[in-house]
Amino acid sequence: MWTLLESPIGTLRVVGKDAKITAIDFAPHHPTSGRPLGDRADDDPLMVRAREQLTAYFAKGLREFDLPLNPDGTEFQQRVWAYLRRIPYGVTVSYGQVARGIGLTPAASRAVGLANGRNPIPIVIPCHRVIGADGSLTGYAGGVERKQRLLDLEQDALF
């Protein structure tokens, strides 16, 4: 099942299966790389809850999501994504810090970056909070401009 949400960073497609969120896709919405979409289900309780929480996040009224998630990925990707969920709102960390946080050396930062880029549930799993060691905004699946807007939104909400 899926639904759409208009947001300050474009139209988001929220995808769910078995009462869990499996993906959030940025517009333009491309084929799902083999992920089943199912039917549009705007009134499904999970889709309503996801839209409500994302809307509250963009309105600077929500700092922590409470949604059931089921991102599809390797064991390593799952470890990275679990760590990302622990990065507080408004905080950024480097890829090397994420590597250390999951028990690896900073030399694993490239592998962390690849896992970060394959995060199927951006925003809720806040991969936008991971930046280069020098503070640069390195790649983002939704584009660096979206990453900057998300980071700006969180910084503005802190003051």
Side-chain angles (χ1 to χ4, degrees), residues 9-112:
I9 59 169
T11 305
L12 302 175
R13 178 173 56 194
V14 181
V15 182
K17 182 179 178 190
D18 300 327
K20 294 184 180 178
I21 302 297
T22 57
I24 295 177
D25 301 320
F26 296 111
H29 303 121
H30 300 291
T32 60
S33 304
R35 286 193 312 249
L37 276 180
D39 295 326
R40 184 166 180 171
D42 295 334
D43 295 332
D44 179 85
L46 176 64
M47 298 292 104
V48 169
R49 189 169 154 205
R51 279 196 323 273
E52 287 173 350
Q53 288 192 25
L54 286 161
T55 298
Y57 168 81
F58 286 114
K60 303 177 186 176
L62 180 80
R63 293 182 175 206
E64 196 171 307
F65 291 94
D66 179 28
L67 294 168
L69 306 179
N70 188 20
D72 184 33
T74 67
E75 182 181 327
F76 178 75
Q77 290 168 337
Q78 297 288 346
R79 286 175 53 205
V80 170
W81 301 336
Y83 185 87
L84 298 181
R85 291 192 71 196
R86 295 192 303 267
I87 302 170
Y89 182 94
V91 173
T92 57
V93 299
S94 70
Y95 294 96
Q97 287 173 297
V98 175
R100 282 191 300 275
I102 62 171
L104 303 172
T105 68
S109 60
R110 181 179 167 112
V112 165

Side-chain angles (χ1 to χ4, degrees), residues 24 26 57 65 80-87 91-95 98 112-132 136-143 146-148 150-151 154:
I24 295 177
F26 296 111
Y57 168 81
F65 291 94
V80 170
W81 301 336
Y83 185 87
L84 298 181
R85 291 192 71 196
R86 295 192 303 267
I87 302 170
V91 173
T92 57
V93 299
S94 70
Y95 294 96
V98 175
V112 165
L114 291 172
N116 201 52
R118 290 194 174 98
N119 172 16
I121 311 175
I123 305 166
V124 176
I125 299 177
C127 53
H128 62 278
R129 296 178 187 153
V130 184
I131 60 174
S136 63
L137 297 186
T138 56
Y140 185 64
R146 277 191 181 114
K147 183 174 189 165
Q148 182 66 62
L150 291 167
L151 292 173
E154 292 184 13

